[in-house]
């Protein structure tokens, strides 16, 4: 495809428009939707379920939804029956977590232990230790100690077993210092102070002083003892300070380094943080701070920021020098190949620049396309089609777990759908996974094409699958009205929501193009569109 940038997006969109197979969410099974809604309100009678509901792929989740509304009064026998039938399935594991939490809340340790299986959930692990203790199982202390060692953040659910360990004298000063140091590494000073409460008075005062320094690195540390622990705590505090105030960290470093006798490595650790955050904030002294660091201090992250900071200042020789000092693997990325070539070209070395452009242009990426533009050569697209294996495609689409995942998505239960999806993909090989993504695309679950592809490089060439184009008429209509390339609009939607009209961000941006309600209200008024509230933004045409 010998296309220039202004033609590329439109040609790609036209290609994809002919490949769009999405059915959207209009095929939601209405009876099951009504049943799930009833279950969510606690009004669905499992005993009155129809044969069609019981044979539906999503039935186990409907049963879960009904049981989950009555956890506080659910007979243990009913819970055990559900776990026996579905315990090894995603729905069974999901229910187990809810049941364990409910029995722990009631301190019903017998039923808790009857349903127990090892969990990643820290709160449930804390409850398990408490259950073992309550039933006089000697293993409780081992589990409680493992939790003490492994977590650097507050564990309210573990306070009871930690108090029991302390009462038995098992939380020795050495163990408390281990947890304090673990929390210091995570800069969680609340845990540091909590773990220090059982220390002797002088040690508790010192631990609290360490926590105070990490919170707000002052000069109090000048009077600390010259121990390795004090030096490590001072390094952590100064490195944290560097993130918000690189100049302040640089001013305090020589004083503390001299008073506590920092090693060279400890001083460089702080200087690394100072240089990094100076560059990230584009402070004027960034270049000098980079120059003062020994070469051995640089890693890929720091070298990238050195190059970026120099580029911002239009320091072409400095940026080129930083890129040339990158490792071979880092510099082989098309981004750095293109930028290195551009800098060489600016410096007059067109021959080496063209060689680097040629390398970068082999990559079907943004900077690969920019490099191809410099050489006036075709883009390295090379699309491939899905493997045409109808038997394997049918096998994947008939997988019970995948069918449940897709139906749950259509029933607007995305969290449950993800449980089934992840379990299904864990069973699939790479070819099956691609067919599963195709099935998700056809069911309107578009973000799977962005999040479940790319494990193998060739999957990036499945352009027709990776770039779905739904709502094409609305995109073209609104783009034409506003004089905008419709391919830009389609690209914006894919980047913002991957064509999920129900998308909602942490910043409360809604719908296909992630419009904040205040902006939506203002634009609707400007365009003369009726505005009924933020839910209007979930309407695809309105959002576009």
């Amino acid at each position: 495809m010998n296309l220039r940038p202004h033609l590329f997006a439109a040609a790609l969109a036209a290609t994809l428009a002919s490949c769009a197979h999405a059915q959207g969410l209009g095929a939601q099974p209405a009876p099951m939707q009504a049943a799930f809604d009833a279950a969510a309100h606690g009004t669905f009678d499992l005993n009155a379920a129809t044969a069609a509901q019981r044979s539906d792929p999503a039935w186990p989740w409907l049963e879960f939804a009904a049981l989950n509304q009555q956890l506080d009064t659910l007979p243990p026998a009913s819970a055990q029956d559900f776990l026996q039938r579905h315990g090894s399935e995603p729905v069974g594991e999901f229910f187990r977590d809810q049941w364990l939490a409910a029995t722990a809340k009631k301190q019903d340790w017998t039923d808790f232990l009857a349903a127990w299986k090892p969990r990643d959930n820290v709160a449930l692990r804390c409850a398990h230790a408490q259950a073992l203790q309550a039933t006089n199982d000697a293993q409780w202390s081992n589990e409680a100690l493992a939790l003490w060692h492994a977590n650097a953040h507050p564990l309210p659910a573990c306070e009871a077993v930690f108090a029991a360990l302390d009462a038995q004298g098992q939380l020795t000063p050495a163990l408390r210092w281990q947890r304090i140091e673990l929390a210091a590494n995570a800069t969680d000073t609340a845990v540091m102070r909590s773990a220090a409460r059982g220390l002797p008075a002088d040690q508790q005062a010192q631990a609290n002083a360490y926590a105070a320094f990490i919170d707000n690195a002052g000069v109090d540390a000048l009077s600390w003892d010259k121990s390795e622990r004090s030096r490590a705590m001072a390094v952590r505090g100064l490195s944290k300070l560097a993130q918000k105030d690189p100049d302040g960290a640089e001013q305090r470093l020589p004083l503390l380094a001299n008073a506590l006798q920092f090693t060279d490595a400890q001083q460089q650790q702080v200087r690394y943080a100072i240089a990094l955050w100076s560059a990230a904030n584009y402070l004027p002294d960034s270049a000098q701070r980079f120059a003062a660091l020994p070469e051995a201090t640089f890693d890929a992250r720091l070298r990238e920021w050195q190059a970026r900071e120099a580029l911002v200042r239009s320091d072409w020789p400095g940026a080129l020098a930083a890129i040339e000092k990158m490792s071979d693997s880092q510099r082989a990325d098309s981004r750095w190949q293109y930028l290195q070539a551009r800098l060489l070209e600016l410096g007059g070395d067109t021959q080496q620049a063209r060689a680097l452009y040629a390398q970068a242009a082999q990559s079907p990426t943004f900077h690969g396309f920019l490099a191809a533009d410099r050489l006036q050569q075709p883009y390295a697209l090379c699309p491939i089609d899905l493997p045409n294996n109808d038997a394997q495609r049918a096998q994947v689409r008939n997988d019970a777990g995948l069918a449940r995942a897709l139906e749950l998505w259509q029933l607007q239960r995305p969290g449950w759908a993800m449980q089934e999806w992840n379990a299904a993909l864990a069973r699939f090989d790479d070819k099956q996974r691609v067919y599963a993504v195709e099935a998700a695309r056809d069911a309107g679950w578009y973000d799977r094409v962005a999040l479940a592809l790319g494990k193998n490089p060739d999957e990036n060439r499945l352009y027709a699958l990776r770039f779905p184009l739904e709502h094409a008429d609305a995109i073209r209509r609104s783009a034409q009205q506003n004089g905008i390339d419709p391919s830009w609009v389609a690209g914006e939607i894919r980047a913002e929501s991957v064509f999920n009209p129900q998308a909602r961000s942490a910043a409360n941006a809604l719908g296909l193009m992630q419009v904040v309600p205040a902006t939506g209200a203002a634009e609707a008024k400007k365009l003369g569109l009726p505005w009924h509230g933020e839910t209007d933004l979930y309407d695809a045409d309105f959002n576009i």
Side-chain angles (χ1 to χ4, degrees):
M1 295 176 68
N2 189 4
L3 304 173
R4 299 275 51 84
H6 63 286
L7 299 177
F8 168 66
L12 180 57
T15 301
L16 300 181
S18 66
C19 300
H21 303 295
Q23 299 168 358
L25 299 180
Q28 291 178 14
M32 288 298 285
Q33 179 70 66
F36 270 96
D37 289 343
H41 291 91
T43 59
F44 182 77
D45 184 356
L46 286 172
N47 295 322
T50 66
Q53 288 169 337
R54 292 180 183 275
S55 62
D56 192 278
W59 165 253
W61 286 94
L62 179 56
E63 188 179 2
F64 160 78
L67 294 176
N68 197 45
Q69 289 300 314
Q70 47 184 305
L71 283 178
D72 289 340
T73 59
L74 187 67
S78 297
Q80 284 299 330
D81 174 65
F82 186 83
L83 289 172
Q84 286 172 6
R85 287 184 288 114
H86 300 292
S88 60
E89 302 168 16
V91 67
E93 289 303 303
F94 203 74
F95 175 77
R96 192 185 305 276
D97 283 348
Q98 310 306 310
W99 178 245
L100 288 170
T103 52
K105 183 179 179 180
K106 294 185 291 186
Q107 297 193 349
D108 182 357
W109 302 124
T110 300
D111 289 328
F112 179 97
L113 291 171
W116 175 257
K117 279 188 177 179
R119 326 303 291 158
D120 291 332
N121 185 301
V122 174
L124 291 179
R125 289 178 59 199
C126 292
H128 184 234
Q130 194 173 355
L132 294 176
Q133 181 197 11
T135 55
N136 298 315
D137 188 320
Q139 287 299 311
W140 78 269
S141 60
N142 291 335
E143 186 150 346
L145 285 169
L147 287 160
W148 175 270
H149 285 302
N151 293 275
H153 300 293
L155 300 176
C158 277
E159 289 305 319
V161 287
F162 288 166
L165 285 175
D166 191 29
Q168 292 187 358
Q170 294 196 57
L171 291 184
T172 63
L175 284 177
R176 289 187 177 278
W177 277 111
Q178 285 181 19
R179 185 158 168 77
I180 290 168
E181 290 171 356
L182 188 69
N185 287 333
T187 64
D188 195 324
T189 54
V191 172
M192 293 176 67
R193 292 182 175 93
S194 175
R197 289 188 189 119
L199 289 172
D202 58 333
Q203 294 185 40
Q204 182 177 355
Q206 183 64 71
N208 287 335
Y210 290 152
F213 184 81
I214 291 174
D215 280 338
N216 185 21
V219 294
D220 310 11
L222 293 171
S223 61
W224 292 352
D225 63 84
K226 297 178 178 58
S227 65
E228 184 56 33
R229 178 178 289 152
S230 291
R231 286 188 285 272
M233 293 290 182
V235 166
R236 292 184 190 104
L238 287 171
S239 298
K240 182 182 177 184
L241 176 63
Q243 187 169 350
K244 60 181 180 180
D245 182 9
D247 293 340
E250 187 170 59
Q251 291 170 6
R252 289 168 176 75
L253 174 59
L255 295 173
L256 289 165
N258 181 60
L260 299 178
Q261 298 179 357
F262 280 13
T263 65
D264 287 343
Q266 287 168 330
Q267 292 191 59
Q268 296 313 325
Q269 185 178 340
V270 178
R271 293 194 182 282
Y272 175 106
I274 292 170
L276 173 66
W277 294 108
S278 294
N281 290 288
Y282 300 106
L283 298 181
D285 293 335
S286 300
Q288 294 91 320
R289 285 167 177 166
F290 280 123
L293 288 174
E295 286 297 312
T297 306
F298 284 84
D299 57 10
R301 184 188 187 194
L302 200 61
R303 194 65 79 187
E304 171 171 343
W305 273 105
Q306 184 183 30
R308 291 173 67 170
E309 187 275 337
L311 286 167
V312 167
R313 290 187 293 102
S314 301
D315 177 7
W316 310 139
L320 180 61
I323 294 172
E324 289 177 338
K325 289 179 180 178
M326 291 177 177
S327 67
D328 291 344
S329 59
Q330 185 178 12
R331 202 169 58 251
D333 184 277
S334 62
R335 173 176 54 153
W336 297 117
Q337 287 175 335
Y338 170 79
L339 288 170
Q340 184 179 5
R342 194 77 182 87
L343 292 165
L344 287 167
E345 191 175 40
L346 287 169
D349 190 345
T350 56
Q351 183 175 359
Q352 189 178 354
R354 290 185 67 83
L356 283 167
Y357 283 140
Q359 293 179 36
Q362 297 175 29
S363 173
T365 60
F366 175 73
H367 289 92
F369 297 151
L370 291 179
D373 289 340
R374 302 299 295 182
L375 299 175
Q376 295 188 321
Q377 70 180 39
Y379 294 153
L381 282 175
C382 303
I384 59 175
D385 295 324
L386 277 169
N388 189 18
N389 187 326
D390 290 339
Q392 193 169 48
R393 178 183 277 114
Q395 179 187 10
V396 169
R397 290 187 179 232
N398 290 331
D399 180 86
L402 180 62
R404 274 192 295 275
L406 299 183
E407 183 172 347
L408 288 165
W409 172 257
Q410 292 179 326
L411 289 164
Q412 299 182 42
R413 265 69 183 178
W416 300 349
M418 281 299 304
Q419 299 282 330
E420 292 285 359
W421 173 268
N422 290 336
L425 257 63
R427 297 190 300 272
F428 293 160
D429 61 25
D430 285 350
K431 292 180 180 177
Q432 292 171 319
R433 177 169 48 81
V434 172
Y435 283 127
V437 172
E438 179 193 43
R441 186 273 313 271
D442 290 351
W445 195 358
Y446 298 120
D447 68 1
R448 298 302 90 198
V449 306
L451 301 176
L453 289 178
K455 184 177 180 182
N456 297 321
D458 278 351
E459 291 175 6
N460 290 325
R461 297 165 58 197
L462 294 166
Y463 295 118
L465 182 58
R466 289 181 57 224
F467 294 90
L469 188 59
E470 185 70 348
H471 316 293
D473 290 342
I475 290 171
R476 290 192 178 95
R477 181 173 60 251
S478 291
Q480 183 177 13
Q481 290 171 354
N482 291 280
I484 296 173
D485 185 338
S487 302
W488 182 91
V489 182
E492 180 76 6
I493 292 173
R494 187 188 186 278
E496 292 289 352
S497 67
V498 198
F499 288 89
N500 175 12
Q502 301 299 313
R504 183 173 194 147
S505 77
N508 200 37
L510 309 178
L512 288 177
M513 301 187 76
Q514 291 290 274
V515 180
V516 175
T519 301
E523 291 301 311
K525 182 178 181 180
K526 186 188 303 182
L527 297 170
L529 297 174
W531 175 258
H532 307 99
E534 66 177 36
T535 55
D536 284 350
L537 295 171
Y538 289 130
D539 177 86
D541 287 1
F542 186 90
N543 190 291
I544 293 170

